[in-house]
Every structure is written in C-alpha cells, then in structure tokens.
Amino acid sequence: MSRVVGRHWAYVALTAALAIAAAVWAVPHVGDSGFFAWVAEPRPDGPPLPSLSPDLFLLPTSAQLVLLAVGIGLLVQIYSTAFLGHHPRYRSYALVIVLFLVAMLAVVGTTNLWVLLVGWEVMGLCSYLLIGHEWQSAEARAGAAKAFLMTRTADLGLVLAILVIGQTYGTYDILGAQVAAAAGTQNATAIGLLLLVAVIGKSAQFPLHSWLPDAMPGPTPITALIHAATMVAAGVYLAGRLFFLYADSTVVLTTMAVVAGITMLLGALMALVQTDLKRALAWSTVSQLALMLAAVAAGDPDAGISHLVSHGAFKALLFLGCGCLMAAVGSSALAAMGGLRASMPVTFWTMTIGFAALAGVVPTAGFFTKDSVLHAIDRATGRDGGLADGTAYGLLAVALVTAFLTAAYATRLWLTAFFGSAPEGHAKGEAPRAMIGPLVVLAAATFALSIGQPVHLGMGLLSTAIAAAGIGLVVLLWRRGSSLDLDVRPLTAELGLDRPFSRWIPAAVRGVSRTVVDLDDEALDAYPRAGTRLAAGTSRLLELAQSRNVQRYATLMTAGVLLLVVIGVSRA
Amino acid sequence: MPLLYPLVLASALFGIGLYGVLARRNAVLMLLGVELMLNAVNLNLVAFDAWFADALHSGQVLTLFTITIAAAEIGLGLAIVLALFRALRTVDVDEVGR
C-alpha cells in the first residue's frame, strides 16, 4: 500500500517540478501592464520556412495562463492520487497529464506558430486519450472519438490560417507578424475566419460545441483540467493572442460575436435543464467560454483572458468538488445528491464559493472578470467600427440574459446538490485530504484573483442586480417546494443540435463508404477479375499443346514440316 | 521405266511408315513403321541411282549402309521392347509412359 502511494507521489513530484520550472520562468513576466498591446522590437526576418525552434517568449497575460495551467495541473495531479490512484492505468493517466501541461506550455509560451500548432495538436491527442481513459465503456470511447474528430476537423482552420499568415507577412513568428501587421493588416478577414474555425472547435463554440458535454465520461479531474486550464482555454488564448491580425475586420468580429452570443445563451439554457451535475457544469463551461470570446469580439481580448483565468480557477474548483460528490454518492446525477451539506462541509463551502464565482457574486474573481467582459461589450456599443451596427447591443442583451441564467443554474445546482432531503443509502462522509486540499486552494485562489481587478461601477451594479434576481428567483422557487427540474422537451433533447454530428454525418459517411465499396467491388475489381479469367483461359489453351504425349509432338512436328514444304514448293 | 513409279511407291511406303510411328501405340508396330520409312528411303536411293546412271553407284552403296544400320537398329529396338515387355507385361507406349 505504502509503495503504491509512494509511486503516486512520484508523478506528483514530476508535475511539481514542471510547475516550479514554469513558475520560475513565468513569474517575472507577470506584470500589470503591457498585455497584448505590447509590440516587439523588429526581428531580423528569418526565411519564411516552417521551423520548430522553440522561440520561447512570454507576455504578462500568457505568463498568467502558464501559472494557471501548471497550478491547476498540479492540483489535479494531487487530487488524482486519491481519486484515481488505484486505477490499473494510473501511470499512463498521470503521465498524459504531464504531457498535456507541456503541450499547453508550448501553445502559450512560444511565438513560433508551428510550435504552437504542435502543442495545439498534442493537446487534442491528450484530451482524446484522457477522455477515453475508461475505454471499457462505449460511451467514453464515443466521447473521445467525437472530441478528437470535431477538434481535429476544426484544427484544419489553424493550419490554413498559419499558412495564410506566412504568405501574407512572410513570417511564421507571432512577434514578426505583429511587427509586420503594425504597418497595416492584410488578409485580415481570411486569417480571422480561419482562426475562428479553429477556436470554435477547440473552445467548443456553436456549432461545434457538442463534443464538450459528450466528453463527460472522462475522469472528473481530467474534466477539470480540460475545462479550466488547458484544452478549451487554448482556443480563447489563440483568439486573444492573434487578435491584432483581424482586429479591423468587421466580418470576423461580427461572426465571432454572433457565434459567442448564440453559444453563451445556448450553453446557459442547457446547463439550466441538465439532470446531471457534471454535464451541467460542462454546458456552463461552453457558455462561459462564449462570454470570453464575446469580450475578444468586442475588442478587449485582455478582459476575455482575465475571465479565462478566473473561470479556470472556479471551474476547476467546481469540477473537482463534483468529483468529491461523485466519490461520496457514486454518481454524478443530481437525483442521487441532496442534503450533502452536513456530511461534506469542506466540499460544501468550497463549492459554494465556486458557484458564487460562477454566478458573479461580489467579491469573487468571477464577479470582477465578468464585470470586465460586460464592460468591454458595453463599450463596444458606443464605438464605431469593430462590430457591425447593432451587434454589440444584441451581444450585450444576450450577455445580460446569460448572466441571469448563469446565476439561476448555479443556484439550482447548489441547492439540489447540498440542500433538501438526502436519498437513501449514501453520504460516505468527506472526501480524503488529497481531494479536499486542492478545493481549498482553489477556493482561496477564487478570492485571491480578484485582487487588483478593475471595477466598473455601473456595470457592476447592473450585473449584481441581475445575479441577485437569478439567485433570488431560484431560491424562491425552491422555498415553494419546486424540485427545480425543468423538463422542457426541446431543451432536454439539446435542441437536436447534435443531430448533424451524431446521425447525419456518420450516416453520410457510411453511405459514401458503402458506395465506394460497391464501386470497388463492381467496377474496379472487374478489370483484375477479367485479367485472371483471361490468363486462366490462355493457360488452359496452352495446356492442350503440352500433352506429355511424344507421339502428338511428333505429329505436330511432321505437320509443321509438311506445311513448310508446301509453302516452299508453292513459292518456288 | 519412268522415275515416277518407284517414287510414288516410296512416298506411299514412307507415308504408311510415318502413320505407323505417329498413330500406333504398339511399340513393335512403331518399329515396323520406322523400318518402312527406312526402306522407302532405300527405294528412293536406288531409284535415283538408276536414274542418274551414276558410275560409282553411290546410291546403291549408301543403301547397303542403310540396311546395315537398320538391322542394328531393329535389333536394338526389339531388345528394348522385349525388356520392356518383360518388365511391364505390355508393349503399349501409352501404358509405359504413364
């Protein structure tokens, strides 16, 4: 037993070493100024050939993301020793987490677009491996394949975008492109739309959002990692990091705003009707990511990234807390929970903080960063350019409705999980220390990250009022004895938005492959088949001559001689 | 006597001999076919010798050689057939070849 535990801590130590190295590297870069507005010194232009030189470089914002990634990665690793330590494949699981973090560092810490692409793809691979960790279950396999295929398809957008950037600016270096673009952007719409495709896939935005909720069969700590610090964060990071390339393209920004608007509302509505805590949190992530993209579309990528960081902290907290609840009741279904407040006090209080941050309650970091995002959108309404006319107003309205819905579903999840009557036969008590420790750290981070955040008074009051309305409404319904189960048919069926991916595309692919197989069997194989028949017929004919009968050979010879004689005589 | 008669006769003998060699399955009869062909050639040689009125009579001399060789050949051939028959109790070439 102690040897097993010791081996687990070896992986934690490995992650910790990585985290410390990354922290030593990143901490000096964390400042409060600069952000993405920073423009590099002109670099000597290298040849515009794809290179894989690391080109490490950190901006304050990316340094924050580095710290977030390794911090949450370390907490997840510690948490996993208790959550998944006795799993037979713990070793590969722990090592893939480390690889995942390295890939995320590659994405965030480089200015070389090709290295970024490699990290981006390795993350896709790692998420595939980790979502499919329980590959005995068909659901996990399907979820993993779906995540892989959907993000991979969207990744084509990134590859093409990198090629277009290279062609346009003559460099594959982000800083180089930044310098070149400072003199005037070109091909902004093409680059922006291609990048948007990649971001939509990676950050699970409409219409490629369905892989994220379907990734829930993966182990819960992994879900926390993917949702908070790595995979989906990379999409928003990329959108923010390369914002300067498409900042003046109305088409791109408007498209992004529309996508973000649809997704945030959709995700919040879905989260409201889920009967499964984990799936509800997944939809909540979809919605929150859309909020970050909305900030980018509104022209303030820094607000988006700061919300990404605070969301990373509290969403990791919520998922890890969800894991504690699952360990206690053996299921992530809301119906199996309830009344857990007394038996799991630490989980209850930390998750309360997490839900408060999700709902945007003062003074959690979630409130401040959401406030910044709303402020950015609000500012975009008063400006010319950027978004198309009226889009900003629409986006603001949608964002406020989403804030209301977010407060409502956060309260609903909180109430149904921790209050009310407990179902029979559960409540094993509080989770082990290795699991609640990370919760406490993340809860502290949720407050700590609010230090130094800007406050926008008007928007802050408005969003607080909206959040209070959402929370108040749900609490009122709960007091009146409602079960808070919203069984709205089209919503619980997730509006059938997944149907193209779960039914039509597979059906189409199957149909096409069947046609190809038939074509191969009937048309193409006819030629080789005819060839074999021809060869067999010819050999049968030739076989007739080879009778192994000497007399017949002699007869043929005689006939040949006679023929020659006849020819010779007739010629003469 | 015109040359045509012995030549027609020789051709007929050769054809019969050839037929015997090609169509017969009996080894003895095949040897007989070979003999017929040889003798057809002999007849040819003699006929042309007379026709050309050769002073050295080389055609007749050659015929004597042929007869000698034919005698040796038939002796050897019949010995083989006899050995074959002793071993296999048959002289059918198809049976032997199988």
Side-chain angles (χ1 to χ4, degrees):
Chain A
M1 180 67 200
S2 68
R3 251 191 60 228
V4 172
V5 171
R7 222 176 53 216
H8 294 166
W9 288 104
Y11 298 111
V12 174
L14 179 65
T15 318
L18 178 72
I20 290 168
V24 167
W25 174 44
V27 163
H29 292 91
V30 181
D32 52 357
S33 65
F35 286 92
F36 288 141
W38 198 86
V39 174
E41 295 295 310
R43 290 190 161 196
D45 275 344
L49 285 173
S51 86
L52 283 179
S53 82
D55 291 344
L56 295 178
F57 180 80
L58 277 185
L59 294 169
T61 314
S62 33
Q64 286 177 15
L65 279 178
V66 166
L67 293 176
L68 176 78
V70 293
I72 290 182
L74 182 58
L75 291 176
V76 163
Q77 194 74 283
I78 293 171
Y79 184 94
S80 301
T81 57
F83 189 83
L84 217 67
H86 301 290
H87 196 281
R89 292 191 302 279
Y90 172 78
R91 202 162 88 114
S92 70
Y93 165 87
L95 287 175
V96 173
I97 289 181
V98 176
L99 180 62
F100 212 143
L101 289 177
V102 171
M104 183 65 184
L105 294 183
V107 168
V108 177
T110 185
T111 66
N112 185 333
L113 284 170
W114 292 108
V115 176
L116 188 147
L117 178 69
V118 169
W120 184 273
E121 298 292 344
V122 170
M123 267 202 285
L125 170 71
C126 290
S127 64
Y128 168 77
L129 293 175
L130 290 171
I131 293 167
H133 184 67
E134 306 285 347
W135 46 250
Q136 298 92 330
S137 108
E139 212 185 336
R141 287 200 302 275
K146 188 173 192 176
F148 189 74
L149 290 177
M150 278 177 115
T151 54
R152 195 45 47 102
T153 310
D155 288 350
L156 282 177
L158 180 59
V159 177
L160 293 177
I162 291 176
L163 291 175
V164 176
I165 291 170
Q167 287 300 309
T168 308
Y169 297 111
T171 174
Y172 292 117
D173 186 274
I174 296 177
L175 296 177
Q178 210 160 358
V179 173
T185 54
Q186 300 155 43
N187 290 346
T189 307
I191 293 172
L193 286 178
L194 287 171
L195 284 175
L196 188 60
V197 171
V199 170
I200 283 175
K202 207 68 161 180
S203 292
Q205 299 297 294
F206 176 83
L208 297 179
H209 57 274
S210 59
W211 71 263
L212 195 60
D214 284 358
M216 286 309 108
T220 307
I222 284 314
T223 317
L225 189 67
I226 290 178
H227 283 239
T230 52
M231 186 83 176
V232 294
V236 177
Y237 166 77
L238 185 79
R241 185 71 183 90
L242 298 179
F243 180 70
F244 63 89
L245 286 175
Y246 57 87
D248 52 5
S249 167
T250 310
V251 179
V252 177
L253 293 182
T254 309
T255 315
M256 191 183 270
V258 170
V259 167
I262 293 174
T263 315
M264 67 173 81
L265 196 59
L266 183 76
L269 282 172
M270 293 303 166
L272 196 59
V273 300
Q274 293 303 316
T275 53
D276 183 298
L277 176 59
K278 205 171 164 192
R279 205 174 165 86
L281 290 174
W283 277 111
S284 150
T285 306
V286 171
S287 166
Q288 293 293 310
L289 288 166
L291 202 61
M292 302 166 204
L293 271 190
V296 177
D300 193 353
D302 295 335
I305 302 289
S306 61
H307 190 53
L308 176 63
V309 172
S310 76
H311 171 261
F314 69 73
K315 190 52 70 67
L317 166 60
L318 286 175
F319 269 116
L320 293 183
C322 171
C324 290
L325 298 182
M326 284 165 69
V329 305
S331 156
S332 62
L334 282 170
M337 297 171 188
L340 291 170
R341 180 170 44 129
S343 60
M344 308 178 74
V346 182
T347 310
F348 167 65
W349 281 111
T350 50
M351 279 187 86
T352 303
I353 293 166
F355 278 124
L358 180 60
V361 174
V362 204
T364 57
F367 163 76
F368 291 101
T369 53
K370 189 183 279 183
D371 178 45
S372 296
V373 170
L374 292 174
H375 177 71
I377 300 172
D378 182 38
R379 223 175 29 191
T381 57
R383 259 199 329 220
D384 287 345
L387 297 169
D389 295 339
T391 319
Y393 287 104
L395 192 58
L396 184 63
V398 171
L400 292 175
V401 172
T402 304
F404 174 77
L405 289 173
T406 306
Y409 71 70
T411 316
R412 169 178 172 256
L413 295 175
W414 182 64
L415 287 173
T416 43
F418 292 109
F419 293 82
S421 57
E424 292 297 310
H426 71 66
K428 279 196 266 177
E430 192 59 271
R433 253 181 303 170
M435 284 166 74
I436 53 175
L439 293 187
V440 176
V441 174
L442 285 169
T446 303
F447 287 115
L449 283 173
S450 56
I451 295 169
Q453 296 280 1
V455 187
H456 310 93
L457 197 60
M459 193 49 79
L461 287 176
L462 180 60
S463 69
T464 306
I466 287 174
I471 296 170
L473 182 68
V474 173
V475 171
L476 199 68
L477 285 173
W478 177 259
R479 281 276 169 79
R480 295 238 176 111
S482 163
S483 68
L484 297 180
D485 278 340
L486 291 168
D487 194 13
V488 187
R489 196 68 210 131
L491 280 184
T492 46
E494 299 183 354
L495 294 177
L497 286 174
D498 192 35
R499 201 164 295 153
F501 302 103
S502 61
R503 303 240 187 99
W504 300 346
I505 290 180
V509 169
R510 240 172 265 139
V512 168
S513 6
R514 209 169 296 131
T515 314
V516 169
V517 168
D518 286 352
L519 214 70
D520 189 51
D521 279 352
E522 303 299 325
L524 289 179
D525 279 3
Y527 293 100
R529 271 207 296 271
T532 56
R533 229 172 285 139
L534 186 69
T538 315
S539 73
R540 219 169 296 135
L541 276 178
L542 292 174
E543 206 183 87
L544 291 179
Q546 298 181 336
S547 57
R548 290 178 68 220
N549 185 334
V550 182
Q551 281 177 316
R552 192 173 291 170
Y553 297 156
T555 309
L556 285 173
M557 235 158 68
T558 313
V561 169
L562 277 179
L563 196 66
L564 288 177
V565 169
V566 167
I567 291 171
V569 169
S570 63
R571 282 279 180 87
Chain B
M1 191 172 70
L3 184 60
L4 187 64
Y5 298 149
L7 287 190
V8 168
L9 179 62
S11 302
L13 282 176
F14 190 87
I16 292 165
L18 190 63
Y19 171 78
V21 171
L22 296 183
R24 285 292 174 166
R25 295 292 176 266
N26 190 317
V28 178
L29 289 181
M30 285 172 72
L31 279 176
L32 284 184
V34 171
E35 284 306 304
L36 276 179
M37 281 152 71
L38 279 169
N39 285 309
V41 173
N42 286 348
L43 197 54
N44 253 4
L45 287 169
V46 173
F48 277 104
D49 183 82
W51 173 255
F52 287 121
D54 186 9
L56 291 176
H57 294 292
S58 49
Q60 292 187 26
V61 174
L62 202 56
T63 305
L64 286 176
F65 274 109
T66 317
I67 288 168
T68 316
I69 290 170
E73 180 248 310
I74 198 78
L76 194 64
L78 279 176
I80 292 172
V81 171
L82 205 60
L84 209 62
F85 183 73
R86 285 217 177 120
L88 302 175
R89 316 300 300 171
T90 178
V91 288
D92 189 310
V93 287
D94 279 353
E95 296 281 322
V96 173
R98 204 164 285 145

